[in-house]
Amino acid sequence: AGVQANIRKTAPKMGAAMWRNNNGACLDEHGRMIRYGLANDSKKLNEVFKSSDLIGIDSDGRFVAAEVKKPGWHLTPGDKRAQAQLFFMRFVIAKGGRAGFCQSLEDFERIMR
């Protein structure tokens, strides 16, 4: 939570605006499944293409995605959730945006360079 707050607080100084992207699903009072969060159209899609914790835009109009992880975290092939997050970030980068995993404010600064 601290890293995420620091990124959101510092982003405007770097010419970016960042917003929290809560992602999930729940049943409404009528038993209907309600999905929320960017690119969370279906459970099947969300299993392989998972949007980042923070979504934003930089001063050039470029899409920015930052997936915040605890310090010391490492991407592993068996981490299906993180692999789906990586797939989303690679898509963002391929389309001209900025994206990456962030364990610190310095990681976010690297993404924004």
Side-chain angles (χ1 to χ4, degrees), residues 95-107:
K95 297 296 182 184
R98 303 169 185 264
F101 290 108
C102 297
Q103 297 179 57
S104 65
L105 181 57
E106 291 76 22
D107 289 340

Side-chain angles (χ1 to χ4, degrees), residues 9-10 23 47 50-51 69 77 79 85 98 101 108:
K9 183 173 72 173
T10 305
N23 217 307
E47 288 174 352
K50 189 174 290 297
S51 59
K69 298 293 186 188
D79 186 343
Q85 292 164 339
R98 303 169 185 264
F101 290 108
F108 181 73

Side-chain angles (χ1 to χ4, degrees), residues 23-26 33-37 40-44 46:
N23 217 307
C26 62
M33 182 64 64
I34 306 296
R35 303 193 73 75
Y36 54 91
N40 189 17
D41 299 354
S42 70
K43 181 179 179 188
K44 186 175 181 178
N46 193 256

Side-chain angles (χ1 to χ4, degrees), residues 3-111:
V3 171
Q4 198 172 106
N6 285 337
I7 290 171
R8 292 185 68 194
K9 183 173 72 173
T10 305
K13 297 173 189 169
M14 302 174 77
M18 300 298 290
W19 298 277
R20 178 77 177 111
N21 177 43
N22 291 315
N23 217 307
C26 62
L27 296 175
D28 72 6
E29 66 274 7
H30 303 288
R32 294 178 295 212
M33 182 64 64
I34 306 296
R35 303 193 73 75
Y36 54 91
L38 185 63
N40 189 17
D41 299 354
S42 70
K43 181 179 179 188
K44 186 175 181 178
L45 175 63
N46 193 256
E47 288 174 352
V48 296
F49 192 73
K50 189 174 290 297
S51 59
S52 301
D53 293 324
L54 296 174
I55 299 297
I57 189 167
D58 71 10
S59 59
D60 296 330
R62 291 167 58 178
F63 190 92
V64 181
E67 178 60 38
V68 181
K69 298 293 186 188
K70 292 180 182 179
W73 173 86
H74 297 286
L75 179 65
T76 62
D79 186 343
K80 293 182 189 282
R81 179 181 185 83
Q83 292 296 330
Q85 292 164 339
L86 178 61
F87 187 55
F88 175 83
M89 290 185 287
R90 285 182 172 161
F91 178 82
V92 168
I93 292 166
K95 297 296 182 184
R98 303 169 185 264
F101 290 108
C102 297
Q103 297 179 57
S104 65
L105 181 57
E106 291 76 22
D107 289 340
F108 181 73
E109 291 169 341
R110 176 186 44 78
I111 290 167

